[in-house]
């Protein structure tokens, strides 16, 4: 009975804070309600939408465990499905871009990062925003797999399967594709130059691993709805990621975005020592009293930022040192990380920290997007970092942050298990063994075999390996050109 009452309070929070904002036609969610010089937060960002609906999904999983709440399970699950399909519809309208990007890797040919909440249409021009954000597309694909594995039916037709297959090809080159990353700005100086971001590579690696051999129709699917991923693409992403970490990119020596790479939802780092070093570097360099900084010398939404300037020179970034905005969002990531690593001290510490920075409303405690140093306190804060009171910005709540906080509470209080929100069990993956190079020699005929043997090399002939058939690599390449091909969507596969 007590658990039922607690879930009822969470349902009220989800209904008021998240579902009340969900558009009745498209199923999309606005990032927030504020409109200011930094943008129109009423738009639906792909990344924000996926994170924002996670709490709804988690609450549905919790209600599944109680037989008397089938109505709430149905409502919550289909709210998740409606959003994921709303994003799918918006992206499928841009299938021509997916096809063009596969060939060119041109940032102006990228899928858009945000859409109109009411229509799913584009809201800014191709060259008016840093749309190439591979982490956002990869996050969608990763959670599509996780949610489908949890029992949700999101993909309905083979046309949609083909589109998802092409999105796999779209992100498969993330290991060598500079993008604008989770903060949509590329290089730290914000001059519009894309760069290779570890968090994007990590999310792409996670999505590729999750979808390799995955059936998008769930348990009812056949071979036609299985997604194909080239193992080499996963291997290249892993190698690149391990080479980048613990840095985020060439311009960002440390970035809180990597919390999503080393822990939930990506669990993308196989080397646990490297994961630990990355976590410790983030906490040591970016922790504050109200949240974490995104990265060092981040001027975004500080009072010294000029929102009308397109970029800063590198030496100008020093003016933002020690006054970077602090984001409660990352307390939620660290709380969830502690839960997945069975570190009760960490999870409880950050859950308590979230309580302190939440804004008390009439009904619920809400997390603002960030806290900033007011103008009159800038000099004092620079002289003694952490000494001045910060104030929240107008984005209240940041639905993405609120969702992850609610997810952390549901797990912490035992309403759901870790495996409920990670049914693919990515958090239990074993560390990858050191690669072993093996070479097998195949002789064209007995004469070649004898010649190789005379030189000390064992081999087999084509006849000896039957019933296995040998084919040249070009035939495999030809076969893969048909995987995901869809003439109706003008996708080549």
């Amino acid at each position: 009975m007590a658990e039922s009452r607690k879930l009822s309070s969470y349902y009220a929070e989800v209904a008021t804070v998240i579902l009340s904002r969900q558009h009745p036609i498209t199923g999309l969610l606005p990032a927030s309600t504020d409109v200011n010089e930094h943008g129109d937060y009423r738009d639906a960002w792909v990344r924000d939408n996926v994170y924002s609906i996670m709490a709804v999904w988690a609450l549905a999983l919790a209600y599944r465990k109680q037989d008397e709440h089938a109505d709430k399970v149905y409502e919550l699950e289909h709210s998740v499905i409606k959003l994921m399909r709303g994003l799918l519809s918006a992206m499928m309208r841009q299938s021509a871009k997916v096809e063009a990007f596969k060939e060119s890797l041109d940032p102006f040919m990228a899928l858009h990062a945000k859409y109109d909440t009411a229509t799913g249409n584009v809201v800014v021009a191709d060259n008016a925003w840093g749309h190439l954000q591979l982490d956002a597309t990869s996050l969608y694909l990763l959670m599509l797999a996780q949610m489908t594995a949890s029992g949700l039916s999101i993909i309905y037709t083979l046309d949609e399967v083909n589109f998802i297959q092409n999105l796999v090809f779209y992100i498969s080159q993330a290991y060598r594709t500079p993008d604008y990353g989770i903060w949509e700005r590329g290089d730290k100086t914000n001059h519009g130059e894309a760069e290779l971001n570890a968090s994007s590579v990590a999310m792409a690696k996670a999505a590729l691993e999750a979808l390799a051999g995955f059936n998008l129709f769930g348990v009812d699917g056949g071979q036609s709805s299985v997604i194909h991923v080239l193992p080499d693409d996963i291997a290249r992403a892993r190698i690149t990621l391990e080479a980048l970490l613990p840095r985020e990119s060439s311009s960002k020596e440390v970035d809180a975005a990597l919390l999503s790479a080393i822990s939930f939802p990506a669990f993308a780092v196989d080397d646990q020592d490297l994961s630990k070093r990355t976590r410790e570097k983030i906490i040591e360099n970016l922790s504050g009293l109200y949240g974490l900084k995104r990265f060092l010398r981040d001027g975004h939404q500080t009072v010294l930022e000029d929102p009308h300037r397109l970029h800063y020179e590198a030496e100008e970034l020093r003016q933002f040192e020690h006054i970077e905005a602090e984001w409660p969002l990352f307390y939620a990531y660290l709380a969830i990380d502690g839960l997945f690593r069975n570190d009760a001290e960490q999870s409880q510490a950050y859950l308590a920290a979230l309580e302190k920075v939440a804004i008390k409303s009439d009904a619920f405690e809400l997390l603002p997007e960030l806290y900033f140093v007011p103008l009159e306190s800038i000099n004092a804060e620079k002289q003694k970092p952490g000494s001045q009171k910060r104030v929240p910005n107008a984005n209240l709540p940041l639905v993405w942050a609120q969702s992850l906080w609610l997810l952390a509470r549901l797990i912490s209080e035992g309403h759901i298990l870790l495996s409920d929100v990670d049914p693919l069990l990515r958090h239990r993956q074993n560390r990858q063994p050191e690669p072993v190079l093996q070479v097998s020699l195949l002789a064209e005929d007995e004469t070649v075999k004898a010649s190789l043997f005379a030189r000390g090399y064992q081999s087999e002939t084509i006849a000896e390996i039957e019933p296995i058939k040998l084919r040249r690599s070009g035939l495999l390449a030809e076969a893969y050109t048909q995987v995901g091909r869809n003439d109706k969507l003008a996708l080549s596969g």
Side-chain angles (χ1 to χ4, degrees):
M1 184 65 70
E3 181 176 7
S4 183
R5 285 198 299 269
K6 188 64 175 177
L7 288 183
S8 293
S9 70
Y10 283 142
Y11 176 83
E13 181 177 337
V14 163
T16 302
V17 178
I18 302 176
L19 295 183
S20 66
R21 291 176 164 83
Q22 187 172 27
H23 196 274
I25 298 174
T26 65
L28 299 178
L29 287 165
S32 188
T33 56
D34 193 34
V35 180
N36 56 38
E37 65 270 18
H38 302 288
D40 188 341
Y41 289 85
R42 298 172 301 180
D43 293 332
W45 273 258
V46 173
R47 183 187 305 103
D48 289 62
N49 268 250
V50 176
Y51 276 121
S52 296
I53 208 64
M54 284 185 186
V56 183
W57 175 48
L59 188 57
L61 295 171
Y63 270 121
R64 274 188 192 175
K65 302 175 187 292
Q66 299 191 356
D67 295 336
E68 67 271 23
H69 293 294
D71 57 334
K72 285 188 169 59
V73 173
Y74 188 92
E75 175 199 359
L76 294 168
E77 287 184 348
H78 284 79
S79 295
V80 177
I81 293 170
K82 190 174 183 68
L83 178 137
M84 293 296 284
R85 289 191 58 77
L87 290 175
L88 177 66
S89 175
M91 290 187 287
M92 286 185 72
R93 296 176 194 177
Q94 297 203 306
S95 58
K97 289 188 178 298
V98 174
E99 182 65 21
F101 183 82
K102 288 189 303 179
E103 297 294 331
S104 67
L105 300 183
D106 183 352
F108 291 163
M109 289 291 102
L111 282 171
H112 279 217
K114 62 176 183 173
Y115 300 94
D116 183 273
T117 302
T119 65
N121 295 330
V122 300
V123 289
V124 290
D126 295 347
N127 61 354
W129 198 266
H131 286 296
L132 180 54
Q133 298 168 33
L134 292 172
D135 75 292
T137 306
S138 300
L139 175 67
Y140 176 84
L141 293 174
L142 170 62
M143 295 313 300
L144 173 64
Q146 292 279 30
M147 290 172 177
T148 301
S150 77
L152 300 188
S153 179
I154 299 173
I155 301 300
Y156 293 169
T157 68
L158 289 179
D159 290 329
E160 294 171 0
V161 171
N162 291 336
F163 181 75
I164 295 299
Q165 180 68 69
N166 277 271
L167 286 190
V168 167
F169 298 147
Y170 178 89
I171 67 168
S172 65
Q173 304 298 302
Y175 69 92
R176 66 181 182 94
T177 307
D179 74 340
Y180 296 103
I182 190 170
W183 308 130
E184 307 184 302
R185 65 188 300 161
D187 186 278
K188 188 160 67 173
T189 54
N190 199 25
H191 53 55
E193 181 178 333
E195 60 180 357
L196 203 61
N197 290 288
S199 58
S200 292
V201 176
M203 202 61 73
K205 173 180 178 288
L208 293 172
E209 289 174 335
L211 285 170
F214 189 83
N215 199 310
L216 290 177
F217 288 172
V219 295
D220 298 319
Q223 186 59 41
S224 61
S225 50
V226 172
I227 294 297
H228 298 272
V229 177
L230 292 175
D232 284 357
D233 291 335
I234 297 174
R236 293 186 186 105
R238 175 178 56 79
I239 293 168
T240 302
L241 178 61
E242 292 180 352
L244 286 169
L245 293 175
R247 293 183 70 96
E248 161 73 342
S249 64
S250 59
S251 74
K252 304 183 189 77
E253 58 274 36
V254 58
D255 195 313
L258 289 171
L259 291 173
S260 67
I262 63 176
S263 188
F264 182 84
F267 302 105
V269 183
D270 302 320
D271 186 335
Q272 295 306 303
D273 292 334
L274 181 56
S275 179
K276 180 181 178 182
R277 291 205 313 273
T278 303
R279 181 185 298 103
E280 290 174 346
K281 186 174 182 181
I282 290 170
I283 293 174
E284 178 184 353
N285 290 278
L286 301 178
S287 291
L289 298 177
Y290 299 82
L292 269 65
K293 302 168 184 175
R294 300 192 306 178
F295 49 87
L296 297 176
R297 296 185 174 183
D298 174 22
H300 180 59
Q301 296 203 47
T302 64
V303 294
L304 297 185
E305 180 189 29
D306 183 353
H308 304 293
R309 289 188 57 179
L310 294 178
H311 71 276
Y312 295 93
E313 301 303 327
E315 60 272 14
E316 292 182 284
L317 295 178
R318 188 173 183 180
Q319 67 181 305
F320 304 122
E321 194 168 18
H322 303 311
I323 64 163
E324 302 97 331
E326 293 178 1
W327 297 59
L329 166 69
F330 299 113
Y331 281 169
Y333 275 109
L334 285 166
I336 296 172
D337 172 62
L339 291 165
F340 273 98
R341 293 192 303 109
N342 197 28
D343 187 338
E345 182 178 354
Q346 175 179 310
S347 61
Q348 291 304 313
Y350 284 105
L351 283 169
L354 285 163
E355 293 281 355
K356 292 180 181 178
V357 297
I359 305 298
K360 309 300 186 291
S361 70
D362 292 339
F364 309 104
E365 295 179 323
L366 304 177
L367 291 178
E369 180 182 26
L370 55 84
Y371 281 85
F372 64 93
V373 181
L375 182 61
E376 63 273 14
S377 304
I378 290 290
N379 291 334
E381 180 69 12
K382 286 186 174 183
Q383 292 174 7
K384 188 179 179 181
S387 63
Q388 301 301 302
K389 182 178 180 180
R390 291 169 178 255
V391 295
N393 72 344
N395 280 346
L396 181 72
L398 180 64
V399 183
W400 167 6
Q402 195 78 19
S403 176
L404 290 184
W405 184 25
L406 202 150
L407 175 62
R409 284 177 280 164
L410 286 169
I411 298 173
S412 176
E413 295 169 10
H415 301 295
I416 55 175
L417 303 175
L418 298 176
S419 57
D420 288 331
V421 290
D422 181 23
L424 297 178
L425 301 180
R426 293 190 52 76
H427 70 287
R428 293 184 184 175
Q429 290 185 117
N430 294 323
R431 179 173 174 174
Q432 292 287 333
E434 290 297 320
V436 177
L437 180 63
Q438 295 180 315
V439 178
S440 179
L441 294 178
L442 191 64
E444 188 172 7
D445 52 37
E446 291 290 345
T447 302
V448 175
K449 178 180 178 179
S451 178
L452 288 170
F453 184 77
R455 291 167 173 77
Y457 298 104
Q458 295 284 345
S459 64
E460 293 179 291
T461 65
I462 295 175
E464 289 174 329
I465 65 172
E466 289 189 350
I468 297 173
K469 300 295 184 181
L470 181 68
R471 297 288 186 266
R472 298 191 179 278
S473 60
L475 293 177
L476 179 63
E478 289 179 18
Y480 262 99
T481 62
Q482 301 303 312
V483 175
R485 177 177 173 177
N486 188 296
D487 294 337
K488 288 186 286 184
L489 294 171
L491 293 170
S492 64

